[in-house]
Amino acid sequence: MTDVVGAALASWTLPAWPAAGSLLTALLYLRGWRRLSARRPQHFGLRHLACFVAGLASVLLAVASPLDAFAGLLLQVHMLQHVLLTMVAPPLLWLGAPTLPLLRGLPARLAKRGLAPFLTWPALRRVGRGLAHPLGGWLALMLATALWHLPGPYQLALRSPGWHELEHACFLVAGLWFWFPVVQPYPSRPRWPRWAMIPYLLLADVANTGLAALFAFAGRPLYPAYSAVPALTAGGPLGDQAMAGALMWVTGSIAYLAAVAAIVVEWLESPRSFPRLLRFPPLKKGGQGGFPEHSSRAARAPAGSWKIPPYPPSSKGGVGAKGGYGARGGVGLDLLHLPYIAPLLRSLAFRRAIQALMLLLAAAVVLDGFLGPRMSPMNLAGVLPWTYWRGLVVVALLAVGNLFCFACPFMLPRELAKRVIGARRAWPRWLRGKWLAVALLLAYLASYELFDLWDRPAATATLVLAYFGAAFAIDAVFRGASFCKHVCPIGQFHFVHAGASPFELTAREPGVCAGCTTHDCLRGGSRGRGCELDLFVPRKRDSLDCTLCLDCVRACPHDNVALRTVAPGRALPGRRRGARLDLAALALLCVFGAFANAAGMLEPLLARESDLAVRLGLTAPTAITAAWLVVALVLVPAASATLAARLSARGAGVPGARTIACRFAFALVPLGLGMWSAHFLFHLLSGLGSLWPVVQRAAFDLGSTWLGPPAWAHGMGPRTDWLTALELLLLDAGLVVTVVVGWRTARELGGDAARALRVAAPWAALALLLWVSGVWIVFQPMQMRGMVH
């Protein structure tokens, strides 16, 4: 122990007022709790007492312990005080439902004659209702956190004990104000709907993470006071400051996201408290979802069978009637019944026009890739596919779903092949499933990094031509949509992630399908050809293999197909697909590929790869990159899923680790989509001006000067500091939906809530590790590929 530490501990004494106040408050609460617990144990049980006492202990630990003695020596200790006062003590105190126990703990005469007239004063009640508004609590905590961490106020609090106590009081009051609408202690009533607390907490987490990143990644000490005291840590003031930022980030995010997870669990257990569009079907005994009985029978029907199992008759209520499809969470906005939008989506001519436009853009990419400049930021093949196309694809997934396949330019050559040559052979049985697509997607992700496709316009053009050739050749020989279903790696990527999108193709009214005898949506008829992928709408339960071609919509003679909103993660494959390892491998590759692809562009990691290559005597770090990709895309996903599945099976006594792994692999997909979206949108929005100078250059090469000379300065990209908040929001939203789907899966596998928690715990830990790595990636310097510097 150093002399400084010994002196600090020796000078510490227990402050009388905080200790006496905490003890008196605890005694009053205990006295009132004893009177109330016998009458209302559901509102004032032992857990409420434990939470309140733990909250008081947290306050004492923050302001009346050796932490206070070290606050002037270590920033991380001072930050721990702030965390305890804002994120630990307030929710614990409110979880104790302290209002009634504290009132009942007072002497009866004081409560009735002293406080009762004051508490029933109308003006005070109006003020209380105003203060209970969530917006006030959110602003109070954000402002208190931001203002007290400015260098001036912060150092004033370090110099003056009085200002230091005021700082702590501000944090505690702001924390209590913020957490009140989140916990909503009995007997208070909410001002906002319960679901609104999810964005309330996520926005607070983004603000907290942004401030924490300022501490963690600042290149200089923010508070000179800590540079003037003896160094107690090996890293000095900068290391201490980085540790304080990490403490603020980790504990704050855990607190906010744990609260979000608790609200999500509440949502799944009590769906009536949430808007209809956001509801999941209620759980029945044994953990099975409240889906109609016929849906499971339909899911077990053999593929290609056109015989429909009987459906219960629908009520006259139409779409939202009890017993209809709306009871499964599918009631909501239907894009196929919106004015202006519906006619375009239903029109085959509109789809062909979009595909033709995409085909022209693909041709421009190919021609410029072969004939244009070799520098990718100046070539359409370096900008359109890798900056614009990927960014717009995730926008489409987040907004609607698999719009890429809807507008896919490769559809036109395969249509031509089918009409000119006429496919007659069935796809080989040994190639059915998704293993071929998994291998091709793995090769695609690895090739992007190993061969720098983003920096080689000619290679990009060759890849596009190979895609066109494969689509033409395969669908010229094999009937059905064999290329889309079994080969196309980009299509598999969109099939998987479309399950986390807000829209799904469903039957509008099951009773209509039950009475249909032609099944034109599958077989085709006078109105259209039907589904090439043998997806029968009444039996369709997820997004897998659905190209969103809308052929079923055009073919249905009853206009009974809807493209409508569903609950988050409702259309993810896995629930009705059984223990298929190929699907689980595809899902895990999509999830871990998101983090590996983003990490592969981080400048610190690229610099370490180059240094390691020099040490090993290699001319290029290609071998190191290949080894890293094998670990990140194959070994880590397989090991993580296997370990989590075995821990789930062992902890809950549920047999079938393989089934658990295959089901939970898709629960991670929303988090993966959040990482893909954060990464691709960063490049799209930061490089939004990079296309125009390339178009000017291409026009100039063709002899046209009417667009003017290339303005390369527009392609250098704006400041992107504000994008960090968007990236964090996308990651947080992905984690929330993963919690939703994971809990739902755990309840179906585990049954009761206690067993379901043990089933879900290992996967929740895996999701949290992925989320932490995603946040770390967001704050690292990244290569600005496809941009002129």
Side-chain angles (χ1 to χ4, degrees):
M1 181 182 297
T2 65
D3 295 338
V4 176
V5 175
L9 290 176
S11 63
W12 173 77
T13 57
L14 183 65
W17 286 109
S22 299
L23 180 60
L24 178 61
T25 303
L27 292 175
L28 287 176
Y29 180 90
L30 180 60
R31 185 169 184 259
W33 175 85
R34 290 183 61 186
R35 296 179 176 181
L36 293 168
S37 60
R39 299 180 181 179
R40 300 177 182 177
Q42 71 276 20
H43 296 303
F44 305 101
L46 284 174
R47 63 184 180 89
H48 297 87
L49 175 63
C51 287
F52 188 79
V53 173
L56 286 178
S58 300
V59 175
L60 272 180
L61 180 63
V63 302
S65 75
L67 290 180
D68 200 49
F70 283 97
L73 302 174
L74 289 171
L75 175 56
Q76 56 189 290
V77 174
H78 202 176
M79 188 64 72
L80 179 58
Q81 288 182 295
H82 298 172
V83 167
L84 288 170
L85 292 172
T86 57
M87 301 174 190
V88 178
L92 287 174
L93 291 172
W94 288 129
L95 284 170
T99 307
L100 292 182
L102 289 176
L103 289 175
R104 292 297 301 270
L106 292 170
R109 180 175 299 180
L110 175 61
K112 290 181 179 179
R113 298 184 181 180
L115 285 180
F118 181 70
L119 294 177
T120 56
W121 184 26
L124 180 64
R125 299 184 68 176
R126 286 194 295 270
V127 171
R129 282 196 298 269
L131 291 176
H133 198 283
L135 185 59
W138 195 92
L139 291 174
L141 183 59
M142 297 305 107
L143 288 175
T145 304
L147 293 177
W148 279 110
H149 284 100
L150 292 174
Y154 189 95
Q155 299 215 128
L156 178 62
L158 289 180
R159 292 193 301 267
S160 169
W163 283 101
H164 198 186
E165 293 173 2
L166 177 62
E167 176 195 39
H168 289 167
C170 288
F171 279 134
L172 181 60
V173 171
L176 289 170
W177 196 355
F178 173 88
W179 286 99
F180 178 82
V182 176
V183 179
Q184 207 62 59
Y186 179 83
S188 62
R189 295 182 179 180
R191 293 289 302 274
W192 281 2
R194 195 66 181 143
W195 63 266
M197 291 298 100
I198 295 177
Y200 179 90
L201 288 161
L202 291 181
L203 289 173
D205 181 43
V206 169
N208 177 77
T209 304
L211 183 58
L214 178 64
F215 287 97
F217 300 107
R220 60 180 180 82
L222 298 177
Y223 307 117
Y226 290 109
S227 300
V229 297
L232 301 182
T233 58
L238 273 180
D240 178 35
Q241 185 172 280
M243 183 60 68
L247 178 67
M248 184 181 189
W249 167 47
V250 174
T251 54
S253 293
I254 289 176
Y256 293 131
L257 295 177
V260 170
I263 293 173
V264 167
V265 171
E266 176 189 346
W267 163 5
L268 296 178
E269 300 296 327
S270 304
R272 294 183 181 276
S273 62
F274 291 83
R276 181 176 292 180
L277 288 181
L278 298 178
R279 292 183 195 167
F280 264 93
L283 290 168
K284 293 181 179 179
K285 273 190 175 182
Q288 295 299 321
F291 295 93
E293 180 67 23
H294 61 78
S295 61
S296 59
R297 293 200 302 269
R300 292 194 297 268
S305 173
W306 289 338
K307 184 177 180 182
I308 310 177
Y311 284 82
S314 301
S315 304
K316 294 182 179 180
V319 175
K322 185 177 179 180
Y325 192 85
R328 301 207 325 259
V331 63
L333 179 66
D334 182 3
L335 292 183
L336 297 179
H337 269 64
L338 289 182
Y340 306 111
I341 295 178
L344 292 177
L345 292 177
R346 292 170 178 271
S347 171
L348 182 59
F350 174 75
R351 186 186 182 215
R352 292 290 184 250
I354 295 296
Q355 290 173 343
L357 175 62
M358 295 295 292
L359 183 61
L360 289 175
L361 291 175
V365 165
V366 171
L367 290 174
D368 208 33
F370 286 129
L371 305 176
R374 299 299 90 195
M375 188 173 181
S376 62
M378 296 182 176
N379 197 298
L380 288 173
V383 175
L384 269 181
W386 306 118
T387 299
Y388 276 78
W389 172 72
R390 296 195 306 175
L392 294 176
V393 153
V394 296
V395 171
L397 284 170
L398 295 174
V400 178
N402 190 6
L403 288 181
F404 165 76
C405 290
F406 175 85
C408 177
F410 307 116
M411 289 289 185
L412 293 180
R414 58 178 292 271
E415 290 287 340
L416 179 64
K418 288 167 59 178
R419 295 196 179 193
V420 174
I421 302 177
R424 286 175 173 75
R425 300 187 63 179
W427 185 253
R429 186 177 297 274
W430 62 277
L431 282 179
R432 294 178 186 178
K434 298 298 181 183
W435 286 117
L436 176 60
V438 169
L440 291 174
L441 181 58
L442 178 61
Y444 169 78
L445 293 175
S447 299
Y448 176 81
E449 293 295 337
L450 290 175
F451 305 116
D452 294 336
L453 295 180
W454 56 274
D455 198 30
R456 296 184 178 182
T460 300
T462 303
L463 180 62
V464 174
L465 281 181
Y467 234 100
F468 277 109
F472 184 90
I474 290 174
D475 281 346
V477 177
F478 301 101
R479 61 177 179 265
S482 297
F483 177 77
C484 299
K485 187 171 185 175
H486 300 292
V487 179
C488 179
I490 299 177
Q492 310 305 319
F493 176 91
H494 291 90
F495 292 156
V496 170
H497 292 101
S501 300
F503 288 89
E504 182 191 11
L505 271 177
T506 63
R508 181 172 290 110
E509 183 58 62
V512 175
C513 294
C516 179
T517 58
T518 60
H519 312 323
D520 289 352
C521 64
L522 179 64
R523 298 174 177 174
S526 59
R527 295 163 58 98
R529 68 180 176 188
C531 183
E532 288 186 291
L533 290 118
D534 291 332
L535 299 178
F536 194 27
V537 174
R539 286 206 302 263
K540 184 174 171 294
R541 291 295 178 266
D542 54 49
S543 63
L544 196 66
D545 297 334
C546 181
T547 60
L548 210 65
C549 63
L550 302 185
D551 285 338
C552 58
V553 175
R554 288 183 287 271
C556 178
H558 309 291
D559 191 21
N560 196 44
V561 183
L563 180 59
R564 61 170 157 222
T565 51
V566 292
R570 162 69 180 80
L572 279 170
R575 190 174 188 274
R576 302 288 183 185
R577 296 283 176 170
R580 286 184 53 179
L581 288 178
D582 58 334
L583 295 183
L586 180 61
L588 291 173
L589 179 59
C590 288
V591 173
F592 283 82
F595 296 89
N597 183 262
M601 300 185 189
L602 299 183
E603 292 181 355
L605 292 183
L606 292 172
R608 290 191 178 185
E609 285 185 3
S610 300
D611 292 342
L612 184 58
V614 172
R615 292 180 183 180
L616 296 177
L618 301 175
T619 57
T622 306
I624 298 173
T625 303
W628 175 79
L629 288 172
V630 169
V631 171
L633 297 177
V634 179
L635 299 182
V636 171
S640 301
T642 301
L643 178 61
R646 289 183 176 178
L647 290 175
S648 294
R650 182 178 300 177
V654 178
R658 172 173 171 168
T659 300
I660 293 175
C662 292
R663 292 289 301 276
F664 272 98
F666 283 96
L668 298 173
V669 167
L671 180 57
L673 179 57
M675 186 70 249
W676 284 117
S677 303
H679 180 199
F680 288 167
L681 286 179
F682 170 80
H683 287 289
L684 174 64
L685 296 176
S686 61
L688 203 56
S690 60
L691 179 60
W692 178 243
V694 178
V695 173
Q696 289 177 308
R697 193 273 314 155
F700 192 81
D701 288 351
L702 294 174
S704 175
T705 59
W706 64 280
L707 292 181
W712 296 114
H714 293 294
M716 296 186 67
R719 286 183 59 85
T720 56
D721 298 343
W722 61 273
L723 285 177
T724 302
L726 175 62
E727 293 177 273
L728 294 174
L729 274 178
L730 290 169
L731 277 172
D732 287 352
L735 181 61
V736 169
V737 181
T738 286
V739 170
V740 170
V741 180
W743 179 254
R744 185 73 187 183
T745 302
R747 285 301 305 269
E748 291 171 356
L749 292 172
D752 61 273
R755 182 178 291 181
L757 186 61
R758 293 194 294 271
V759 172
W763 295 94
L766 177 58
L768 187 61
L769 287 175
L770 287 171
W771 176 83
V772 168
S773 66
V775 175
W776 178 79
I777 289 171
V778 164
F779 285 109
Q780 299 302 309
M782 182 172 287
Q783 279 188 337
M784 302 303 293
R785 296 177 177 178
M787 295 180 62
V788 178
H789 297 282

